[in-house]
Amino acid sequence: MTVPLFELPDPELPDDVLPDAELPVPGPRVIGRAESRGERFAPASETAHEVTFVHTADWQLGMTRHYLGPEAAHAYTAARLEAIERIGALVAEVDAEFVVVAGDVFEDQRVSSRIIRRTLDALAAFGVPVYLLPGNHDPYDAAGVYRSRTFVQACPDNVTVLSGEGVHQVRDGVELVAAPWAHKHPGADLVGRQVARLSPGDGIRILVGHGGVDEMTPGNGTSLIGLGSLETAVESGVVDYVALGDRHSVTSVGSTGRIWYPGAHEVTNFDHIEESPGHALAVTLRRSGSTREIDVSPHRVGQWSFRTISADVGGVANIEALRARLGEIDDKPRTVLQLGLVGSISVADSAVLDDLLDECADRFAAVTRWGRADDLAVLADDADLDELAVGGYVRDTAEELFAHSRSDDSDSARSARDALALLRRLAGNSR
């Protein structure tokens, strides 16, 4: 393993931190060819170079989702590790020479030793070099994951942490240019800083960075990556490919076709935010004299989905239509639902809806309500009281709740309607 360091003062380190180490990186394999498109730029030497590699990012291992119960949370964590194994299978499928993980391998420095060891075991099984770039979630600082005793002791020989800025030679004719995060607030365009230091070369050069691109990210943060300088470097032949991380949907950036986010390897947010997560990119680059070719192919490696569904449920017919719509969703145990429900329904209809949501909670990984798009009003009417078909003290209680349900106090009215709905369900179960 090679773990190059920044020139930092020696801070007082935690007990779980070891000094840096240097071990040899195993050599690459011979790769095959793939279909691609070509382009020409300023003349260079006629030496031919070719490489195929896998570009992935934003694993954020150790991430949890608050709306998942214990059973679903366990399954989700396991799926995130299994997706790494599928990336390993992709390496073999496309005959990749190495893997680049462009930042945020881990959620933060508090990730468990179990996650670290299982991740490194999975990477060891890849059988090719794996390059990990520290990102904003896992920067290369004194208390970070990459300097922890667990990581250093468990790290296999084929894994290299790109902790040092600048050029790293993979092998003759192939270079990685790293822009790692040394801490969470760099205050500068780390990728742009590397571009400014580069001059044209004859080999294949892959720039590895992490962060938002200024043309796609709101605001004017100092750490945003300037797209203009990247496109100039690509078009002039200074850089052949820019491997980025931070955006969780697979995305081609700009107009060159050579600047990409692979997206998170497994979904992390709902589909109105993450349009296309769960992928890794197989990339083939060729360079011979003034001719360059590239092929970028997304491959599905994730299995979970987080679905956002909005529906008008005003009435039983609409509720049944929602039931049919949800029934058509495949792989329910690995699907999380976020529901935005609107409309006005009676207490009786509310009971039908509650039954549906209970069924969904059993069938899907999780069901949560989308607060900003959820506007469902339950209105009690005379029919609700009559359909309870109860007498005595229970009837007296129902009538009192019915009166409160029409109160001007919205909180009191809502509580009364909820109690009526519960009473209706209990009365129905007793018959």
Side-chain angles (χ1 to χ4, degrees), residues 107-243:
E107 175 69 357
D108 53 39
Q109 77 277 11
R110 297 169 298 177
V111 66
S112 69
S113 60
R114 177 176 178 271
I115 293 292
I116 294 173
R117 289 193 175 98
R118 291 196 173 190
T119 300
L120 294 175
D121 286 347
L123 297 184
F126 282 16
V128 299
V130 180
Y131 297 92
L132 308 180
L133 182 81
N136 62 299
H137 277 263
D138 55 0
Y140 194 76
D141 58 18
V145 176
Y146 301 113
R147 295 197 191 189
S148 70
R149 182 183 301 273
T150 299
F151 185 92
V152 173
Q153 289 182 341
C155 190
D157 292 345
N158 67 316
V159 173
T160 298
V161 179
L162 297 173
S163 58
E165 292 183 322
V167 177
H168 301 253
Q169 186 165 14
V170 175
R171 51 127 167 124
D172 185 36
V174 180
E175 296 176 340
L176 297 180
V177 183
W181 287 54
H183 47 81
K184 284 185 172 292
H185 305 286
D189 176 357
L190 301 177
V191 175
R193 186 162 71 190
Q194 295 308 309
V195 169
R197 297 172 178 173
L198 297 175
S199 56
D202 295 333
I204 291 174
R205 187 177 284 157
I206 301 157
L207 181 58
V208 187
H210 188 88
V213 172
D214 57 4
E215 297 295 325
M216 304 175 65
T217 306
N220 56 355
T222 55
S223 61
L224 290 177
I225 299 168
L227 179 59
S229 62
L230 285 186
E231 292 194 306
T232 298
V234 168
E235 290 166 353
S236 64
V238 173
V239 171
D240 295 281
Y241 183 82
V242 182

Side-chain angles (χ1 to χ4, degrees), residues 34-37 241 282-286 293-297:
E35 294 183 4
S36 61
R37 62 185 181 85
Y241 183 82
V283 183
T284 296
L285 301 171
R286 302 185 192 89
E293 296 178 330
I294 181 171
D295 178 76
V296 180
S297 178

